Amino acid sequence: MGPANGVNCVVHSKGGTATREEIQVETKMARRVIQVFLSGLFVLTGVVSAWGAEGNLNLDQCLEIAYESNKTLLQLKEKIHASEYKIEEARSGFFPQLSFSGSYTRLGRVPGFDVPGTTIDFGTANNYNLVLSLQQPVFTWRKIRNSYDIAKYGLSLTQEEYRKTQHEIKLAVASLFYNALLAKELIIVREQSIARIEDHLSTVQERYDKGYVSDFDLLRVKVQLANAKPPLVQAKNLHHLALDNLKNLLGISLSDPVNLEGSLESEPVVVDQTQAEDHAFQNRSELELTAEQRKIGNKALALAKAGNKPSLFGTANYEYKRPYYSEDVWKTDWNFTIALSFPLFDGFLTRSRVKQARSDLRQLDITEKQLRDLIRLEISQAVSDLNLARENILSQEENVGQAKEALRIARVQYEKGLLTNLELMDTEFALTVAETNHLQAQSDYLVAKARFEKAIGKD
């Protein structure tokens, strides 16, 4: 009886070394952990976490820590606050402006003229003037309103930037989380493989003691056991590396013990690409950002068009002054003014600003088209990866089942002397490879699922 169908088997040739397939699996895993970590650095830059106690973490808890501690998100939160304050600033343009001023003037020489026998002064040496002024815009060709709307859309823009960053963080954390789970499960597979080999070694040793097997067969099993130990060490190192990378991105001290709670098992996702694209076009932050930018651009265009339009203001002043005209006494006075400002020629400034605003809007149209094309491509790739990963899971599940059954049959036949020791060793190794590939396929599917959810803009 040979190895299970679809599983490549290699006979161990030297003690203490890993086979080519094992090295390829471990190398692929190490490269994947490093790539995911480096990509995550661009999103989760310099997080500071309050984590400090031993405990278990699931994916939701990891995401919560990342959302609370990520510096980029903290900066965007402050940017949201600043945008709210800008709305208050813009709203102030609707209200009247009240101001107070006061002045004192001392004249070195009071103007006047001489008449026979006396001098008549025009004023006094000491002059006081206290003024309370009220100014209210009456009509500004919607300049104030458009500025207020731009501030409101600016807040929405910042909120979408925050949401977009959350999606990026979610993908980065999920990728590292699943890689750490994969590394943890690989340790179990390696330990089970060693346990099977040790069990087989006991059987061979017993048969050897009875004279049923040769020195060569016993030596081959011992070599296989020695070969199985370095991959276990590699799996533990990969798990340590993946866990440390996740801790680093979450801002958890590398010395803090953390145990990840989760499983690589998942329910299959039914995907319809057309529906996925429709969902993405309604929910992707990039398109929402473009929509808010277009709103700002339209208001900026209206504001630019109003640059050479008239504005009407009303001003009221209440004065308390001395002297009061020709009397050197304290008295009150008031006045009211309606002022019209109408720019007649601004050196073509308004025309240039209007052209610039229209050009900005056309750029947004092009940007939106590019984004939609890129989103379609991203969804197509995500769906393809998701389907491929699912097929790999089904295929590897079948491989694992076949490999387990092949090992069961091989052990029975070996006990009856119908199978050589070498064939049994190959069958044992085939099961280890199949289990490793199955775990890798499960991890690939979960990462592909996370990429798909980001592609459609799922929160």
Side-chain angles (χ1 to χ4, degrees):
M1 175 69 67
N5 293 334
V7 179
N8 295 324
C9 300
V10 175
V11 179
H12 302 284
S13 58
K14 294 183 180 180
T17 60
T19 64
R20 183 178 70 252
E21 284 80 0
E22 290 174 319
I23 294 174
Q24 289 174 345
V25 170
E26 304 299 340
T27 302
K28 179 182 178 182
M29 178 64 189
R31 288 176 178 174
R32 179 175 174 182
V33 169
I34 295 172
Q35 288 172 354
V36 172
F37 171 64
L38 293 178
S39 63
L41 285 178
F42 293 100
V43 180
L44 301 170
T45 305
V47 287
V48 180
S49 174
W51 174 269
E54 178 179 358
N56 299 330
L57 287 177
N58 57 32
L59 179 58
D60 290 337
Q61 290 170 327
C62 289
L63 291 174
E64 183 179 351
I65 293 173
Y67 292 157
E68 291 178 353
S69 306
N70 179 257
K71 283 188 175 181
T72 303
L73 286 182
L74 293 176
Q75 290 174 341
L76 286 173
K77 284 182 180 179
E78 290 301 322
K79 192 174 179 180
I80 288 175
H81 294 326
S83 297
E84 293 171 343
Y85 302 145
K86 286 182 179 179
I87 292 177
E88 295 179 5
E89 177 186 349
R91 187 186 295 118
S92 67
F94 295 109
F95 298 100
Q97 304 297 311
L98 185 65
S99 63
F100 171 80
S101 63
S103 66
Y104 165 74
T105 303
R106 171 70 182 184
L107 298 180
R109 179 179 180 182
V110 179
F113 67 93
D114 295 329
V115 297
T118 186
T119 300
I120 298 177
D121 294 333
F122 296 115
T124 61
N126 297 309
N127 295 266
Y128 307 89
N129 192 29
L130 304 176
V131 182
L132 190 63
S133 297
L134 180 70
Q135 187 180 60
Q136 172 67 54
V138 179
F139 179 73
T140 61
W141 213 277
R142 296 184 63 84
K143 294 177 185 177
I144 297 176
R145 180 68 196 187
N146 289 330
S147 297
Y148 175 72
D149 289 341
I150 288 176
K152 287 198 304 181
Y153 297 144
L155 173 61
S156 299
L157 191 70
T158 306
Q159 290 171 336
E160 284 302 325
E161 289 179 2
Y162 184 90
R163 181 168 167 263
K164 176 177 177 291
T165 303
Q166 273 190 321
H167 289 171
E168 294 170 348
I169 290 173
K170 181 180 179 181
L171 176 59
V173 173
S175 298
L176 273 181
F177 182 86
Y178 293 135
N179 274 280
L181 280 184
L182 172 61
K184 182 179 179 181
E185 294 295 327
L186 284 177
I187 293 176
I188 298 175
V189 169
R190 297 302 181 189
E191 289 175 341
Q192 291 175 343
S193 175
I194 290 177
R196 287 195 297 266
I197 297 173
E198 289 175 340
D199 181 63
H200 178 53
L201 178 59
S202 298
T203 301
V204 174
Q205 183 68 54
E206 183 179 348
R207 292 172 64 85
Y208 174 79
D209 293 339
K210 295 179 179 180
Y212 295 153
V213 298
S214 65
D215 292 340
F216 178 74
D217 286 340
L218 179 62
L219 181 61
R220 296 288 298 191
V221 180
K222 289 182 178 179
V223 170
Q224 185 186 29
L225 179 60
N227 285 340
K229 292 180 179 179
L232 174 60
V233 175
Q234 287 179 325
K236 290 180 178 180
N237 289 339
L238 285 173
H239 178 251
H240 181 73
L241 173 63
L243 200 57
D244 281 352
N245 287 338
L246 182 61
K247 288 181 185 179
N248 186 61
L249 293 183
L250 298 182
I252 298 174
S253 173
L254 298 184
S255 61
D256 288 338
V258 172
N259 180 51
L260 298 184
E261 292 182 336
S263 171
L264 294 178
E265 298 286 342
S266 63
E267 293 293 329
V269 178
V270 179
V271 176
D272 181 273
Q273 185 159 340
T274 301
Q275 292 180 352
E277 290 179 1
D278 292 340
H279 188 280
F281 292 154
Q282 294 177 1
N283 294 277
R284 279 292 291 260
S285 298
E286 292 86 343
L287 291 176
E288 292 294 332
L289 285 169
T290 304
E292 295 300 326
Q293 289 172 341
R294 179 175 286 102
K295 292 177 182 178
I296 293 175
N298 286 326
K299 292 299 178 179
L301 176 60
L303 198 60
K305 290 180 178 179
N308 58 0
K309 300 300 187 294
S311 299
L312 190 64
F313 292 88
T315 303
N317 295 314
Y318 183 80
E319 297 180 304
Y320 186 55
K321 59 185 178 181
R322 179 180 179 182
Y324 182 74
Y325 297 103
S326 60
E327 301 176 79
D328 190 14
V329 295
W330 283 98
K331 283 191 176 183
T332 61
D333 196 5
W334 65 270
N335 60 73
F336 177 75
T337 303
I338 288 289
L340 177 67
S341 174
F342 198 152
L344 298 178
F345 180 70
D346 60 2
F348 306 108
L349 175 64
T350 298
R351 186 179 69 175
S352 299
R353 287 178 175 174
V354 169
K355 289 181 177 180
Q356 179 181 336
R358 286 174 174 163
S359 177
D360 291 340
L361 286 172
R362 288 193 294 269
Q363 291 179 50
L364 285 175
D365 291 337
I366 298 173
T367 299
E368 182 179 1
K369 292 178 182 178
Q370 289 178 326
L371 279 174
R372 288 180 177 272
D373 290 340
L374 289 174
I375 288 173
R376 288 190 183 95
L377 181 61
E378 184 178 350
I379 291 176
S380 178
Q381 183 65 53
V383 171
S384 176
D385 291 344
L386 200 59
N387 292 334
L388 177 60
R390 184 59 187 169
E391 289 298 323
N392 283 340
I393 289 179
L394 297 176
S395 174
Q396 295 305 326
E397 283 178 351
E398 183 178 357
N399 262 357
V400 170
Q402 291 176 349
K404 287 182 177 179
E405 178 63 16
L407 181 58
R408 185 192 68 80
I409 296 173
R411 284 174 173 172
V412 173
Q413 292 186 341
Y414 180 75
E415 291 292 336
K416 295 179 179 180
L418 301 176
L419 195 72
T420 66
N421 178 58
L422 182 59
E423 289 173 320
L424 178 59
M425 290 168 52
D426 286 345
T427 308
E428 289 175 341
F429 177 67
L431 176 58
T432 300
V433 173
E435 289 175 334
T436 300
N437 291 339
H438 181 237
L439 289 174
Q440 183 70 62
Q442 287 180 313
S443 177
D444 289 343
Y445 184 79
L446 289 172
V447 173
K449 182 180 176 181
R451 289 199 181 103
F452 173 74
E453 290 178 349
K454 177 184 177 295
I456 64 175
K458 182 179 180 180
D459 292 324

